[in-house]
Amino acid sequence: MTEFLQWARYHWQRLIGGAPRNNDERPYNYSSLLACGGKSSPNPKLAGKHRIVVPHLRPFKDEYEKFSGTYVNNRIRTTKYTLLNFVPRNLFEQFHRAANLYFLFLVVLNWVPLVEAFQKEITMLPLVVVLTIIAIKDGLEDYRKYKIDKQINNLVTRVYSRKEKKYVDQCWKDVTVGDFIRLSCNEVIPADMVLLFSSDPDGICHIETSGLDGESNLKQRQVVRGYAEQDSEVDPEKFSSRIECENPNNDLNRFRGFLEHSNKERVGLSKENVLLRGCTVRNTEAVVGIVVYAGHETKAMLNNSGPRYKRSKLERRANTDVLWCVLLLVLMCFTGALGHGIWLSRYENILFFNIPEPDGHVISPVLAGFYMFWTMIILLQVLIPISLYVSIEIVKLGQIYFIQSDVDFYNEKMDSTVQCRALNIAEDLGQIQYLFSDKTGTLTENKMVFRRCSVAGFDYCHEENAKRLESYQEASSEDEDFAGAPSGSLSNMAKLKAPSCRAVHNGPLGSKSPTHLAGSCFTLGSGEGASEVPHSRQAAFSSPIETDVVPDTRLLDKFSQITPQFFTPLDETIPSLPLETLYIVDFFIALAICNTVVVSAPNQPRQKIGLSSLSGMPIKSLEEIKNLFQRLSVRRSSSPSLASGKEPSSGVPNPFVSRLSLFSRMKPVSPVEEEVSQMRVSPQASSNSACPTEVKIQTSDAGVTNGKAESLPGQPLASNLCYEAESPDEAALVYAARAYRCTLQSRTPEQVIVDFAALGPLTFQLLHILPFDSVRKRMSVVVRHPLSNQVVVYTKGADSVIMELLSVASPDGASLGNQETMIRGRTQKHLDEYAERGLRTLCIAKRVMSDTEYTEWLRNHFLAETSIDNREDLLLESAMRLENKLTLLGATGIEDRLQEGVPESIEALHEAGIKIWMLTGDKQETAVNIAYACKLLAPEDKLFILNTQSKDACEMLMGTILKELQKKNPVSAKQASLSEDLHQPPAAQDSGLQAGLIITGKTLEFALQESLQRQFLELTACCQAVVCCRATPLQKSEVVKLVRNHLRVMTLAIGDGANDVSMIQVADVGIGISGQEGMQAVMASDFAVSQFKHLSKLLLVHGHWCYTRLSNMILYFFYKNVAYVNLLFWYQFFCGFSGTSMTDYWVLIFFNLLFTSAPPVIYGVLEKDVSAETLMQLPELYKSGQGSEAYLPLAFWITLLDAFYQSLVCFFVPYYTYQDSDIDIFTFGNPLNTAALFIIIFHLVIESKSLTWIHMLVIVGSILSYFVFTLAFGAMCVTCNPPSNPYRIMQEHMLDPMFYLVCVLTTCVALLPRFIYRILQGSLFPSPILRAKHLDRLMPKERTEALKKWRGARKMTQVTSKYGDYSADKSERRPMSGPSAVFAMMPATSCAVEQRNLSLCETALDSDYSETKASGMAEPSKG
């Protein structure tokens, strides 16, 4: 009962306005591997409030009952119902639908004797049938969830028992907050718990989070600081600490809290110390943790919001028309009541017509008319289609089934097809007007390929690597991931075998060996846990095109000059070594270590490679054994020091050094450990060199034939290392560093080992990791350099951010400062060039800190770590203090290739009238280049760039561009003006000025302000495409929301990553791409596809079909109900408006419920007005859905008028036929029913564009079911409805030729106008849809010729209009001056050249804004 009251209170709060959302709460929705039910989780408690967790042990009994004892247990329940509350709760939910309440009202009304029209049971039948069908469906779905819940709750884990003093098997449902849990490898984590012990010597636990976010790459979690150094497993009986953390919330990327020891010492906790429910333990033998959140308070369950429900635009329109039908019903009932009152007043004194009550009282005509109003409501109730909503649900399920069954959506490489996650908005796919797309991973493959780099101001173009990429592009995309050495120019290049996660097959491109496919390094172990992992493919971002990098020969020559002798003195200034060489060393070290890449090996799937691992380490001598145990003993006993030299730095307080959490600090290596490790490590030979002059490849063998590679003891060759990265950018940079023999060998929380060419293995003590976030747009690692023994900060990030953090002056003199300035200028020039070529750019920088500076920063950072409230803000401030005064090392250019079929898809969507916006976080030049490559922008388009630094400048520039557009294209300008009607979007223009708008993130911030929104929308309405670069995730969602709400258009957002989730959720239709960045976007989407090119068929074909089918079906439902109900209404004029029916009540009810319900459902599922091939070849046919042509208000009223006409014919033809006969009421009503059945069914035949055997079978079945029922009912029902009855009426009529004549004549006269209209429409004024339908009937050769003529006529129209615009533009062309010079209009035939002019134009307004107001501007120089 308590659960029901909580449920009722929660839904009541949502009903009256919804619970307030916390500002800090992210609106992301993720699905859980284990939380697969559909129950909506209540809103999480506000973050910032705390919960206290104490151990579930005897010494803490009182405190446990006070705190942890009040928290929920680990039992989950995703079902809505129980056996006791199923019937009342299901009925309560179903009566939320207004139609069901309406029919319930009629049932109750029919029980009132004064207004009773039917038998009580008959009135209840339609409602009972509908409620029963939906209840059965809900019950079966809930029972499936119940079985899953039961299976999950009864899973077994090992929980520490305070009675038995050991870990015992216990069901998940019995786990409570404060319990100690011990897990083994491949076990699924049962609850959110803080990690206290790991069998890994470094205190690491590897987990796979595919159950939460779909990412299959391994992630590391760290034991709480202070527990990682313990020699043995944590003993729960000796655990005397307590945990204070934030209340449960649904943010998967945040955990704030601290662990307080008995001596009041606090240790900060972050997400790196927490194992979340639904994740799987990997590569770790055993872990122990204490539960902090259980059951429905875990983050996995709080993110389980169940299936998405949206109300489609068509359904909202249908609801409006239902209200019109209600108004029509009231009008008809009022007419009946008025007529009945007039009838009784005319025959008031004739008792035969006005029968008095038993007490002799005669009801007045007014009161009788009032009663008759409600009787007529019951009689004409079928006017409101109760079966419409059930039919819509069935049709949508059928449409979804056919969408998911389309083989064109299947992606063999990913073994995935389209997913329909929102079942009730499929028809919205046919009405999209604006499309908002991410770039990386959505339009591009998200396969980051290292292309170029700039180090110390010198550009290295990597021409050999470019040739390799060309050879990959020639290979088929299907076999791309399995080609070890593509033939031709690539095999002739002397380069190393592709280092990959799995054995690379060197056979022909078209061959795939079974052993190769089976031997993936992604095999996730065996046992119970292995079967639960949904992903078993290769590691992400490890295809040969990403891993194979051919070094640049010039840069490789400079590498060869680096020898260990240069670094023998630990002195910063080395006269014999050029500054450029130092930059090169630091640059590639930063590429190798400034990341969170996990190193693993293929022979031990996903096994961490590290020096501290005992397994698989060959012990060759007693000296090695001695060194090993000495190293381990030092590890366990020595206290870590900040300095890694012979003596710890005197200025570093050890307490602060030992208080670092994993998020920000990793335990440094002790001096003895470093010496031992350096003694044990032998320098690696040049096995990783890709220099064409040094290493050759033997294409018939998978190994290296020339040169001998050595490695660290117990470690595989560098070419066999597998890098598991969280992003493709990280993987690309690590593989690039490896190509230059700067190989990331090992990563632990304490150290990173890099094998650097001739210098040998370098062990960097890892002090801190400041991970990447969308606010800082950079990441940093803090290490102690093994050569200089200094604290060094390596930073990589967006160039717009890094350039602002560079040091202004150098302490080493003016000459060095001038050199840094020169490097900065050259690098910026290279960055611009990379961006113009469409490459993704990153800047690499470093900072050297003194121990004193580092200690001071560490002290403040510790305070930020141990705070719960405002922790993110404090950590951000701390990171800002660290990441400044940087020295620029260089930059990288990474290529992200377009997906297959993207240009063709965007071109088709443009032709379909869809306006496309690209929202990306990349640089302006990169975004524009990709926009041209994918045909979002055409070469003849005029480009306008909005890049300002102030709101006033933004407003002025938008106004100037808008005036120019209105002058060039006045027709489009009139339509773009939003002053008259803000909610009417401008129609896409095929003629006139084709313009594109580029806007940067800073300017977009101004444009989204309320005062500029209208002007911004007017400007974008004039443009065919809009590109928003440097846009944040929040800005993406704000843009979509602005367009959707102000223009009242149908919007679609598509993306592939977590940064696209908010945009996807805001749009009317959200589509996720199941790419390489996890499944966050898919889990938040309404539909999911594997490639962008599938979007064209999803919209142009299935979207068009779904919208057209459902629109026509809804109109047909209104038509058939109105047409049939009007027969009863016309009869009232001849029965004194007495509420009498001329047909039996059972036939009346079953007519709409049974006899005429199946044909429209089949029509709604199978109808095809145009074939899929024609819809794809003629994208402009999609525009009919954008304009809602199939379901306009005019179409609704014409349908109702046609229904009135057909009902008049259907009533009066039989009426005048039997006018002077002596037939009874039911004998008169039988031909009316029969003729109405034929009219309604053959009306559907006329409207159908494609009739299959299924259509014919259902139509014949409906007619036969009617005759079978009426014959059987007439034979058996002798006294069903006294005083009259339907006994043998149909039998007598079937022997009467007049009956057949009446039915045929009535049907022909009723359908003749619609039939003639359809013939004239198809021959005299055919719509594009009808013309396209005619193409489908042609022979293949004729159809091809007709399509050519169609396209030719369209292109001729476009060329003529553009030529006219060009001539006009040429005649008006003159030197620009004044405000019109601040923007650029460019026919971008050569993007790389003209982009430089754009960069000049776009910034002119800001630089001279103060002068512009007074004197205007001069034209920017071109050169």
Side-chain angles (χ1 to χ4, degrees):
M1 188 62 183
T2 304
E3 290 182 357
F4 177 77
L5 291 176
Q6 292 176 350
W7 174 87
R9 183 179 62 180
Y10 167 66
H11 280 274
W12 172 254
Q13 290 175 349
R14 292 188 61 183
L15 187 63
I16 63 176
R21 179 185 290 273
N22 181 27
N23 292 332
D24 295 335
E25 179 188 330
R26 296 172 59 182
Y28 297 177
N29 286 325
Y30 301 88
S31 295
S32 170
L33 172 68
L34 302 176
C36 34
K39 179 180 177 182
S40 296
S41 301
N43 286 346
K45 299 176 184 178
L46 293 177
K49 298 182 180 179
H50 306 168
R51 78 157 32 185
I52 297 175
V53 178
V54 296
H56 192 186
L57 300 171
R58 192 177 303 277
F60 299 91
K61 183 178 180 181
D62 296 337
E63 193 176 3
Y64 178 83
E65 292 178 353
K66 178 181 178 182
F67 295 113
S68 302
T70 60
Y71 304 140
V72 300
N73 60 16
N74 204 42
R75 180 191 297 270
I76 65 167
R77 179 170 152 253
T78 60
T79 58
K80 290 182 181 179
Y81 312 110
T82 63
L83 288 177
L84 295 178
N85 71 2
F86 174 73
V87 173
R89 183 169 178 178
N90 186 263
L91 290 177
F92 178 75
E93 289 186 346
Q94 290 202 52
F95 284 124
H96 274 76
R97 181 167 279 173
N100 291 341
L101 283 175
Y102 165 75
F103 283 98
L104 177 65
F105 168 72
L106 294 181
V107 170
V108 175
L109 192 63
N110 196 55
W111 282 69
V112 179
L114 289 174
V115 296
E116 180 181 358
F118 298 142
Q119 295 180 12
K120 299 177 177 61
E121 299 82 5
I122 295 177
T123 313
M124 294 175 60
L125 185 62
L127 182 63
V128 170
V129 169
V130 171
L131 294 179
T132 302
I133 292 174
I134 297 179
I136 292 174
K137 177 184 74 71
D138 292 343
L140 291 176
E141 182 181 354
D142 214 55
Y143 180 68
R144 179 184 63 85
K145 296 177 185 177
Y146 165 76
K147 291 195 297 183
I148 295 175
D149 290 347
K150 185 177 180 181
Q151 180 181 1
I152 292 173
N153 287 329
N154 290 323
L155 291 175
V156 176
T157 189
R158 298 188 62 79
V159 180
Y160 186 80
S161 173
R162 56 183 179 180
K163 294 182 180 179
E164 302 183 27
K165 306 294 183 182
K166 64 178 183 180
Y167 289 94
V168 297
D169 290 339
Q170 196 167 314
C171 291
W172 279 25
K173 61 184 178 183
D174 299 323
V175 172
T176 59
V177 174
D179 281 343
F180 286 86
I181 295 180
R182 192 180 195 275
L183 299 172
S184 302
C185 185
N186 294 333
E187 281 194 66
V188 182
I189 301 167
D192 294 352
M193 53 191 235
V194 172
L195 185 61
L196 298 177
F197 169 78
S198 172
S199 58
D200 186 286
D202 301 313
I204 288 178
C205 170
H206 290 86
I207 61 171
E208 183 182 283
T209 62
S210 58
L212 286 179
D213 53 23
E215 296 184 8
S216 55
N217 53 307
L218 295 186
K219 296 181 176 61
Q220 293 182 351
R221 294 295 181 263
Q222 174 70 20
V223 171
V224 176
R225 187 181 66 251
Y227 289 89
E229 293 79 11
Q230 295 184 359
D231 296 331
S232 59
E233 185 175 318
V234 61
D235 186 0
E237 294 292 337
K238 297 180 181 178
F239 187 84
S240 59
S241 307
R242 72 172 191 170
I243 295 173
E244 186 170 345
C245 59
E246 59 188 353
N247 268 334
N249 60 77
N250 61 356
D251 193 341
L252 294 172
N253 297 311
R254 185 186 74 188
F255 179 79
R256 300 184 295 194
F258 58 83
L259 187 145
E260 187 176 71
H261 297 300
S262 56
N263 59 0
K264 303 300 181 181
E265 182 183 357
R266 292 183 176 182
V267 178
L269 301 176
S270 70
K271 70 168 185 175
E272 304 297 336
N273 307 120
V274 178
L275 305 181
L276 298 183
R277 177 189 176 109
C279 300
T280 307
V281 178
R282 300 291 186 199
N283 297 354
T284 311
E285 293 181 6
V287 296
V288 174
I290 181 172
V291 177
V292 289
Y293 305 131
H296 286 282
E297 293 181 339
T298 59
K299 292 181 181 292
M301 293 301 296
L302 289 174
N303 276 285
N304 176 36
S305 59
R308 298 170 56 80
Y309 183 82
K310 289 183 178 180
R311 192 177 299 275
S312 68
K313 180 180 179 181
L314 188 61
E315 191 174 345
R316 295 194 298 268
R317 176 66 196 169
N319 289 338
T320 304
D321 291 337
V322 167
L323 296 179
W324 283 114
C325 287
V326 171
L327 184 61
L328 180 61
L329 175 65
V330 171
L331 184 61
M332 294 169 67
C333 293
F334 179 76
T335 303
L338 185 62
H340 186 64
I342 295 173
W343 180 284
L344 289 183
S345 62
R346 180 174 297 183
Y347 302 102
E348 187 173 3
N349 299 324
I350 303 176
L351 298 180
F352 180 77
F353 293 104
N354 197 357
I355 302 175
E357 297 293 322
D359 58 358
H361 176 69
V362 177
I363 301 177
S364 67
V366 176
L367 186 59
F370 174 77
Y371 290 151
M372 185 51 60
F373 176 84
W374 298 108
T375 303
M376 294 287 288
I377 288 282
I378 300 171
L379 180 68
L380 306 179
Q381 61 174 298
V382 188
L383 184 65
I384 309 300
I386 186 175
S387 57
L388 173 62
Y389 294 100
V390 179
S391 301
I392 287 176
E393 297 297 329
I394 297 174
V395 166
K396 287 182 178 181
L397 288 176
Q399 291 176 346
I400 293 298
Y401 170 77
F402 283 112
I403 291 176
Q404 293 181 331
S405 301
D406 193 332
V407 294
D408 290 341
F409 292 134
Y410 179 70
N411 188 332
E412 184 179 2
K413 188 185 300 182
M414 300 186 65
D415 190 26
S416 64
T417 184
V418 63
Q419 300 177 36
C420 302
R421 302 173 56 82
L423 304 181
N424 53 338
I425 60 170
E427 62 273 23
D428 280 348
L429 293 172
Q431 299 178 276
I432 301 301
Q433 296 162 284
Y434 277 74
L435 188 151
F436 300 89
S437 174
D438 178 39
K439 182 185 76 68
T440 305
T442 303
L443 301 177
T444 60
E445 290 182 340
N446 204 17
K447 288 185 177 180
M448 304 302 175
V449 182
F450 184 83
R451 287 297 306 270
R452 304 179 70 170
C453 68
S454 171
V455 186
F458 293 94
D459 181 28
Y460 301 97
C461 58
H462 291 74
E463 293 179 358
E464 296 85 354
N465 198 42
K467 295 178 182 178
R468 175 186 70 89
L469 296 176
E470 290 176 3
S471 66
Y472 271 116
Q473 292 172 358
E474 294 172 0
S476 63
S477 60
E478 179 181 0
D479 299 319
E480 177 184 272
D481 288 345
F482 301 99
S487 58
S489 60
L490 178 64
S491 59
N492 293 332
M493 288 185 205
K495 74 177 189 67
L496 256 180
K497 149 99 174 48
S500 177
C501 225
R502 70 272 182 282
V504 178
H505 182 54
N506 277 321
L509 285 175
S511 62
K512 303 176 186 177
S513 66
T515 56
H516 164 72
L517 294 174
S520 169
C521 97
F522 234 64
T523 307
L524 298 173
S526 58
E528 297 178 359
S531 62
E532 298 169 359
V533 182
H535 300 281
S536 60
R537 300 190 296 271
Q538 67 178 51
F541 326 125
S542 62
S543 63
I545 193 173
E546 297 170 282
T547 60
D548 300 352
V549 178
V550 180
D552 186 88
T553 53
R554 291 191 301 120
L555 187 56
L556 205 59
D557 291 340
K558 296 178 180 179
F559 257 87
S560 63
Q561 302 174 7
I562 302 174
T563 60
Q565 288 75 18
F566 286 120
F567 297 93
T568 301
L570 294 178
D571 205 0
E572 187 179 1
T573 59
I574 303 175
S576 58
L577 192 63
L579 183 64
E580 180 188 355
T581 306
L582 287 175
Y583 273 60
I584 292 175
V585 172
D586 278 326
F587 179 83
F588 282 96
I589 287 177
L591 295 189
I593 70 174
C594 189
N595 51 64
T596 57
V597 173
V598 177
V599 186
S600 57
N603 57 346
Q604 294 180 341
R606 298 185 148 211
Q607 180 60 47
K608 174 179 65 65
I609 304 300
L611 291 177
S612 59
S613 176
L614 286 172
S615 60
M617 184 181 295
I619 306 297
K620 298 180 181 179
S621 65
L622 292 175
E623 184 65 22
E624 284 194 19
I625 298 176
K626 176 183 176 182
N627 291 337
L628 173 65
F629 280 97
Q630 181 183 7
R631 173 171 172 254
L632 293 177
S633 63
V634 169
R635 231 191 105 61
R636 297 301 182 189
S637 59
S638 64
S639 60
S641 62
L642 183 63
S644 60
K646 296 181 179 180
E647 295 180 1
S649 175
S650 59
V652 180
N654 282 339
F656 280 103
V657 177
S658 62
R659 290 180 178 179
L660 303 177
S661 69
L662 173 76
F663 169 76
S664 54
R665 179 197 181 267
M666 311 307 171
K667 188 171 79 71
V669 182
S670 63
V672 181
E673 179 180 348
E674 183 178 357
E675 292 174 4
V676 173
S677 63
Q678 292 180 356
M679 289 170 55
R680 295 183 59 256
V681 175
S682 60
Q684 188 174 356
S686 58
S687 62
N688 290 326
S689 173
C691 179
T693 60
E694 295 182 9
V695 182
K696 296 182 180 179
I697 262 194
Q698 182 179 353
T699 56
S700 60
D701 190 19
V704 179
T705 60
N706 190 14
K708 181 179 179 182
E710 297 180 6
S711 179
L712 298 176
Q715 295 185 7
L717 294 175
S719 59
N720 291 330
L721 291 176
C722 175
Y723 298 133
E724 299 201 51
E726 295 188 14
S727 71
D729 300 84
E730 284 192 343
L733 296 180
V734 173
Y735 285 122
R738 187 177 69 175
Y740 285 94
R741 298 163 57 192
C742 180
T743 306
L744 175 63
Q745 290 280 5
S746 169
R747 176 183 296 276
T748 70
E750 305 168 349
Q751 63 187 25
V752 178
I753 299 179
V754 176
D755 183 27
F756 192 95
L759 300 181
L762 302 177
T763 302
F764 293 85
Q765 299 177 24
L766 195 55
L767 305 179
H768 282 81
I769 293 179
L770 300 179
F772 177 87
D773 61 63
S774 58
V775 178
R776 291 166 42 244
K777 296 183 179 180
R778 59 188 180 273
M779 81 161 291
S780 300
V781 293
V782 186
V783 297
R784 183 168 292 281
H785 203 289
L787 300 178
S788 65
N789 199 30
Q790 290 179 321
V791 177
V792 181
V793 182
Y794 288 106
T795 303
K796 69 176 181 182
D799 55 329
S800 60
V801 176
I802 298 297
M803 289 297 185
E804 297 177 356
L805 300 176
L806 300 180
S807 57
V808 178
S810 173
D812 298 323
S815 60
L816 188 58
N818 294 335
Q819 191 168 2
E820 289 183 359
T821 304
M822 180 187 65
I823 291 175
R824 185 183 309 178
R826 287 182 177 179
T827 305
Q828 184 62 59
K829 181 180 178 181
H830 297 155
L831 285 168
D832 296 338
E833 184 179 352
Y834 295 169
E836 289 171 6
R837 295 178 178 270
L839 303 182
R840 295 166 58 89
T841 57
L842 282 176
C843 281
I844 313 297
K846 80 164 191 175
R847 176 189 177 186
V848 178
M849 301 180 67
S850 66
D851 289 346
T852 305
E853 289 178 320
Y854 177 66
T855 304
E856 181 64 25
W857 177 84
L858 187 64
R859 190 189 312 274
N860 296 326
H861 192 77
F862 171 72
L863 298 177
E865 276 189 329
T866 54
S867 64
I868 296 181
D869 299 327
N870 301 322
R871 173 185 283 194
E872 283 75 18
D873 296 335
L874 295 175
L875 289 176
L876 179 61
E877 293 177 5
S878 178
M880 295 290 288
R881 287 193 297 269
L882 183 73
E883 298 167 326
N884 56 45
K885 300 179 182 178
L886 301 177
T887 300
L888 182 64
L889 299 175
T892 61
I894 299 175
E895 180 184 20
D896 189 9
R897 297 191 305 167
L898 281 178
Q899 290 183 20
E900 178 188 358
V902 167
E904 294 79 8
S905 298
I906 289 184
E907 191 175 22
L909 295 174
H910 266 316
E911 293 178 10
I914 299 176
K915 290 200 171 186
I916 304 177
W917 292 33
M918 185 171 77
L919 312 177
T920 178
D922 280 345
K923 288 189 64 171
Q924 173 186 312
E925 293 83 0
T926 304
V928 171
N929 191 288
I930 294 296
Y932 278 109
C934 69
K935 295 187 178 180
L936 180 62
L937 296 173
E940 64 271 13
D941 287 353
K942 302 296 181 69
L943 274 193
F944 299 91
I945 296 182
L946 277 175
N947 186 0
T948 64
Q949 301 298 323
S950 65
K951 180 181 176 182
D952 294 336
C954 176
E955 183 177 7
M956 181 180 177
L957 186 54
M958 285 197 297
T960 307
I961 296 176
L962 194 56
K963 289 179 182 178
E964 183 68 19
L965 281 172
Q966 291 171 352
K967 182 177 67 174
K968 294 291 184 182
N969 194 3
V971 177
S972 176
K974 291 179 182 178
Q975 293 187 348
S977 178
L978 304 178
S979 57
E980 295 181 1
D981 188 358
L982 186 64
H983 302 318
Q984 288 298 323
Q989 294 295 308
D990 293 332
S991 61
L993 178 66
Q994 298 290 322
L997 179 68
I998 315 297
I999 182 169
T1000 60
K1002 183 69 174 176
T1003 313
L1004 187 61
E1005 183 179 340
F1006 303 135
L1008 291 176
Q1009 295 181 14
E1010 188 173 357
S1011 58
L1012 298 183
Q1013 287 179 358
R1014 178 184 292 271
Q1015 189 179 16
F1016 177 61
L1017 290 175
E1018 289 182 3
L1019 177 58
T1020 58
C1022 299
C1023 301
Q1024 184 69 15
V1026 179
V1027 177
C1028 300
C1029 39
R1030 295 296 191 192
T1032 64
L1034 181 61
Q1035 285 179 328
K1036 290 182 179 181
S1037 62
E1038 290 295 330
V1039 166
V1040 177
K1041 189 185 301 182
L1042 175 68
V1043 174
R1044 187 198 66 187
N1045 294 341
H1046 285 72
L1047 297 183
R1048 299 288 176 88
V1049 292
M1050 292 296 295
T1051 58
L1052 181 147
I1054 180 170
D1056 73 317
N1059 59 333
D1060 304 316
V1061 169
S1062 56
M1063 173 180 73
I1064 288 173
Q1065 291 180 330
V1066 166
D1068 294 294
V1069 178
I1071 295 186
I1073 289 187
S1074 50
Q1076 301 196 65
E1077 289 195 13
M1079 302 291 286
Q1080 298 97 322
V1082 170
M1083 293 173 180
S1085 65
D1086 304 308
F1087 300 88
V1089 294
S1090 57
Q1091 290 179 291
F1092 184 88
K1093 68 177 182 179
H1094 295 155
L1095 187 63
S1096 57
K1097 186 171 186 181
L1098 184 64
L1099 297 183
L1100 303 183
V1101 177
H1102 290 284
H1104 173 82
W1105 281 347
C1106 290
Y1107 169 72
T1108 305
R1109 290 165 176 170
L1110 205 58
S1111 298
N1112 292 333
M1113 190 203 76
I1114 292 174
L1115 287 175
Y1116 179 77
F1117 258 94
F1118 286 124
Y1119 150 77
K1120 75 182 185 73
N1121 283 35
V1122 172
Y1124 188 67
V1125 165
N1126 276 348
L1127 297 179
L1128 300 174
F1129 182 68
W1130 304 136
Y1131 181 68
Q1132 301 306 308
F1133 287 89
F1134 301 93
C1135 68
F1137 298 95
S1138 59
T1140 306
S1141 171
M1142 73 286 186
T1143 184
D1144 186 80
Y1145 299 147
W1146 286 101
V1147 177
L1148 179 67
I1149 293 298
F1150 280 126
F1151 191 89
N1152 275 302
L1153 198 63
L1154 186 62
F1155 304 141
T1156 60
S1157 59
V1161 171
I1162 297 300
Y1163 173 89
V1165 175
L1166 300 179
E1167 171 69 4
K1168 291 182 181 180
D1169 55 349
V1170 185
S1171 66
E1173 293 79 10
T1174 304
L1175 288 172
M1176 290 295 291
Q1177 292 170 345
L1178 300 174
E1180 58 266 29
L1181 299 178
Y1182 184 81
K1183 295 179 181 179
S1184 63
Q1186 292 176 328
S1188 302
E1189 294 178 7
Y1191 194 177
L1192 292 170
L1194 181 62
F1196 171 74
W1197 292 111
I1198 290 177
T1199 300
L1200 292 194
L1201 290 176
D1202 192 22
F1204 269 88
Y1205 163 77
Q1206 292 184 18
S1207 65
L1208 283 170
V1209 173
C1210 186
F1211 180 84
F1212 284 102
V1213 170
Y1215 173 78
Y1216 286 113
T1217 301
Y1218 296 103
Q1219 186 173 15
D1220 296 327
S1221 63
D1222 58 352
I1223 61 173
D1224 60 14
I1225 296 177
F1226 284 180
T1227 305
F1228 168 69
N1230 189 56
L1232 264 67
N1233 278 329
T1234 308
L1237 178 72
F1238 283 111
I1239 291 171
I1240 288 173
I1241 287 182
F1242 285 117
H1243 177 100
L1244 184 63
V1245 173
I1246 293 175
E1247 293 298 307
S1248 297
K1249 305 297 187 299
S1250 60
L1251 288 176
T1252 65
W1253 65 270
I1254 301 178
H1255 289 84
M1256 302 309 298
L1257 181 64
V1258 172
I1259 289 172
V1260 172
S1262 297
I1263 295 174
L1264 288 179
S1265 65
Y1266 169 76
F1267 281 100
V1268 169
F1269 177 82
T1270 52
L1271 287 171
F1273 188 69
M1276 296 183 298
C1277 190
V1278 180
T1279 58
C1280 292
N1281 192 11
S1284 59
N1285 61 77
Y1287 182 65
R1288 292 191 62 82
I1289 289 179
M1290 181 59 79
Q1291 285 83 344
E1292 295 293 336
H1293 268 144
M1294 293 193 71
L1295 299 176
D1296 183 9
M1298 184 65 70
F1299 170 76
Y1300 296 98
L1301 181 61
V1302 168
C1303 291
V1304 173
L1305 181 62
T1306 304
T1307 303
C1308 292
V1309 174
L1311 294 177
L1312 187 61
R1314 177 163 288 270
F1315 184 68
I1316 294 175
Y1317 170 74
R1318 290 303 182 194
I1319 291 177
L1320 294 177
Q1321 183 188 30
S1323 56
L1324 298 181
F1325 45 94
S1327 64
I1329 297 293
L1330 293 176
R1331 291 171 54 205
K1333 180 63 180 176
H1334 175 70
L1335 296 180
D1336 291 334
R1337 300 191 181 100
L1338 300 177
M1339 299 298 291
K1341 190 173 182 180
E1342 296 175 345
R1343 182 175 178 275
T1344 303
E1345 292 297 326
L1347 281 172
K1348 287 182 179 179
K1349 291 181 180 180
W1350 185 313
R1351 295 197 196 98
R1354 182 184 63 196
K1355 290 182 179 179
M1356 185 62 66
T1357 303
Q1358 293 177 355
V1359 170
T1360 303
S1361 63
K1362 289 178 182 177
Y1363 178 76
D1365 293 332
Y1366 173 76
S1367 301
D1369 182 54
K1370 188 174 182 180
S1371 63
E1372 296 177 2
R1373 191 168 297 170
R1374 59 185 183 276
M1376 291 188 298
S1377 62
S1380 61
V1382 299
F1383 57 87
M1385 296 181 296
M1386 48 173 283
T1389 54
S1390 177
C1391 181
V1393 176
E1394 298 198 24
Q1395 285 296 325
R1396 295 188 178 92
N1397 295 340
L1398 289 175
S1399 62
L1400 294 173
C1401 299
E1402 69 190 15
T1403 57
L1405 186 63
D1406 288 319
S1407 59
D1408 300 324
Y1409 177 63
S1410 59
E1411 301 176 9
T1412 313
K1413 292 184 177 180
S1415 59
M1417 292 185 194
E1419 181 183 3
S1421 60
K1422 296 181 181 180

